[in-house]
Amino acid sequence: MAPRQQIFKKFASFFQTILRSKDLTVVAFLLCILVIIIVPLPPLILDFLLTISIMLSILIIFIALYITKPTDFSAFPTLLLIVTLYRLALNVATTRMILTEGYRGANAVSDIIAAFGEFTISGNYVIGAIIFTILVLVNLLVVTNGSTRVTEVRARFALDAMPGKQMAIDADFNSGLIDEKEAKARRAALSQEADFYGSMDGASKFVKGDAIASIIITVINIIGGFLIGVVQRDMDVAQAASTFTILTIGDGLVGQIPALIIATATGIVATRTAQQENTKEDFAQNLISQLTSQSKTLVIVGVILLLFASIPGLPTLSLMFVGGLLLFVSWILSREDKQSLLSILLNWVNKKFNTNFTFDEVESSPKPDMTPAPKVEKTQEEIRREEEQNLKDALRIDLLELELGFELIGLADQKQGGLLIERVRSMRKKIAHDYGFLMPQIRIRDNLRLPSSNYEVKLKGVVIGEGMVMPTKFLALDTGVVGKKMEGVEVKEPAFGMNAIWIDAKDKEEAIIAGYTVFDPSSVISTHISELVTRNAQEFITRDEVKGILDRMADDYPVLIEEARKIPAIIRMVLQGLLAERVPIRDMLTILETTIDKQAQNMDIDIIIEHVRAKLARVITQTFADSDGILKIIGFTTLDEEYLKSRIKNDQDYGQILALTAAESEKFTNALKDAIEKVKDKNIYCVLATDLKLRRVLVKEIRDLKARTPVISYAEIDPNAQYEFVGTIQPNF
């Protein structure tokens, strides 16, 4: 026994080494395919290899049944190629054996081929040809054709949906719903899904090509075998036709049945729906669960079959057996479903005939205890999950937030008559109308850490504005034409910093008569939010917003949008550049047309924005005109403007700047401040107009001064508009 045990251990060690070397197994299999094609094989080895082909097809379809989602079988497309090549190599080997040894009889070729040729088709080559033709047609026209179409559609849909899914992952990550690790995992899964369906689209063609090749090989084998048998082996015509046709049909069936099984597995993997992928059940469990989920349907089908069994001439036994089986299965399911059709019928019988049949009489399990269950203590894992979810909620950052102190919570409660939510809705609509972009939803919540009458506005979690309102009073704004000063709490209005007074509700009418502009607390907050949103409008032009804008225009301007989708980043920067200076983007047609044209000329983004602004002259003129419809302008003298243009320099870090000396810079700043203040004291809304080359530099200077005066170029003034010079900037360099 000792030598046998040693031999067994050596064989076990050898096979363990092979199993551990998985890469060598695949290499050996591919080498085996080459050997099969080149080397003539004896019948015994050929039978062994044909058995492996059948085994592989059955293994693949069972794997397809038990995976929870298609990407769990990510090697399937490549495996299809290898298995198809293996089966075609076997076709070459069997063809060689049939043509060289077929004249000696079926057993001289292969026992498996002989079995399929003699037993499956009863030795009748006409029957075999019909069966083989049916199998080929079912495989090629039904299963393979359908699988190919499904894989093509799913591949296209998967690739088309990929950008949207990636943006959804980025949005969840940016909002704090998922961490970086989960975001990477979801991106990897998305990439794997797209690669899988793309590979499946190509792999399905292998299955289709295999089905077509089997038809050609079969025809060649029949014709070639017949000629060899008659011409070379001196066989009778009938004997040659019968022998080689049976062998060829047997060979075709041996190859076509695994091909049909693998084609079915391809269809199962390709037709898995998203709902099935999201469940924890595999395909087989999910299929049976859905078929038996409604016991009502089983009862109806069972009753119909029993009715058919009662019709003379129909097979009574088989119909009664299947119908009774369905009723039995329905009864088993109905024991857990008291609303099933069988339960309803049983209740009707009990009521009609005064009986008391119940399911409980046949149930072996005791009735459930209806006493309330004791409170179950949470496990450490459940506690950890809740804590992790709370931390995720705390880390979540909304794009726009409004936090209210304790006394202001009622302003957001519509049941208490709060008007804040309605004011915010109206404000969002007005911003969309005036500026052409959708302001994001604002999240309103309380913050007990704030002073009770204060509020904060946050952008991406950072405070960008704050203020104080008195919820029971009204804010009277001094417009400069007030005849009588009202008594109240003097403050600075939060949106624009103008002088204002909080007055009692009873003094509202008197304040209006006196010349004040009066706002309720909700309007004060919504106006402040509106100003902050327009001041930071460029922050809201995200990639999703650009996509939404293009999608809304796609139906009306399909060609334009098709070109625009190629440069979404450029369009986003242009829109951000316009909104950063409060230029509305309502005229998206002009913006897109100009951007596409200038981008094709490889212009710098700042130059593109200037060209877009020039095309929006009517919009800019109308937007920045004063309340009387006249554009009020301040500007430099011709000499000062030419001097400033000569001092423009390109800095590597800051772009274009004014290279002025310290004295010149002081003169320039003081002159700019004086001109703006003089116009502001007259309650005139003005713009600073200058040369196109100087405009971008002056925008930076105005921003450094924290002045809100728009800077436009002369090219941005509508020739048909009314304008008026109301001030001159005189640095006197």
Side-chain angles (χ1 to χ4, degrees), residues 198-216:
S199 301
M200 279 294 296
D201 184 23
S204 63
K205 305 299 189 299
F206 302 146
V207 181
K208 187 173 183 178
D210 179 40
I212 297 172
S214 65
I215 299 174
I216 299 173

Side-chain angles (χ1 to χ4, degrees), residues 690-707:
T690 185
D691 187 85
L692 176 64
K693 296 180 180 179
L694 191 58
R695 197 199 73 81
R696 280 182 292 158
V697 180
L698 292 181
V699 169
K700 298 176 183 178
E701 298 294 334
I702 290 286
R703 190 179 296 127
D704 292 340
L705 292 177
K706 297 183 179 180

Side-chain angles (χ1 to χ4, degrees), residues 261-378:
I261 294 174
I262 290 178
T264 305
T266 305
I268 291 173
V269 173
T271 55
R272 293 294 297 273
T273 63
Q275 184 178 3
Q276 292 170 346
E277 294 174 19
N278 294 331
T279 62
K280 297 298 182 182
E281 295 181 336
D282 55 56
F283 171 75
Q285 290 176 322
N286 189 271
L287 177 63
I288 299 302
S289 298
Q290 292 186 21
L291 287 176
T292 60
S293 61
Q294 296 290 335
S295 61
K296 181 191 302 183
T297 59
L298 299 181
V299 172
I300 294 172
V301 175
V303 171
I304 290 174
L305 291 179
L306 292 178
L307 290 175
F308 284 168
S310 64
I311 298 175
L314 293 180
T316 305
L317 182 61
S318 58
L319 289 172
M320 286 188 65
F321 175 77
V322 177
L325 180 63
L326 287 177
L327 291 176
F328 177 74
V329 173
S330 175
W331 174 70
I332 295 295
L333 296 174
S334 298
R335 296 174 67 183
E336 301 176 0
D337 183 9
K338 299 304 179 184
Q339 299 300 319
S340 67
L341 180 61
L342 203 58
S343 299
I344 295 172
L345 290 174
L346 188 61
N347 292 334
W348 180 82
V349 171
N350 289 335
K351 184 177 180 180
K352 185 72 174 178
F353 300 101
N354 197 21
T355 56
N356 192 27
F357 296 111
T358 63
F359 288 118
D360 295 336
E361 295 177 8
V362 293
E363 289 180 356
S364 59
S365 58
K367 293 183 179 180
D369 187 5
M370 299 305 293
T371 57
K375 185 177 180 181
V376 180
E377 294 292 334
K378 293 181 180 179

Side-chain angles (χ1 to χ4, degrees), residues 127-198:
I127 297 174
I130 294 173
I131 293 176
F132 174 76
T133 304
I134 291 173
L135 283 177
V136 169
L137 290 176
V138 169
N139 187 8
L140 181 61
L141 300 181
V142 181
V143 182
T144 304
N145 236 15
S147 300
T148 302
R149 178 57 180 162
V150 171
T151 51
E152 287 175 354
V153 173
R154 292 207 69 167
R156 186 172 72 248
F157 283 4
L159 294 175
D160 289 346
M162 193 172 180
K165 291 181 178 180
Q166 286 177 334
M167 286 190 290
I169 295 171
D170 294 339
D172 288 347
F173 175 67
N174 294 333
S175 61
L177 294 177
I178 58 175
D179 55 18
E180 184 178 0
K181 183 178 180 181
E182 185 175 352
K184 287 182 178 179
R186 286 173 59 178
R187 290 192 190 102
L190 180 61
S191 176
Q192 183 186 21
E193 180 185 1
D195 291 342
F196 176 79
Y197 286 117

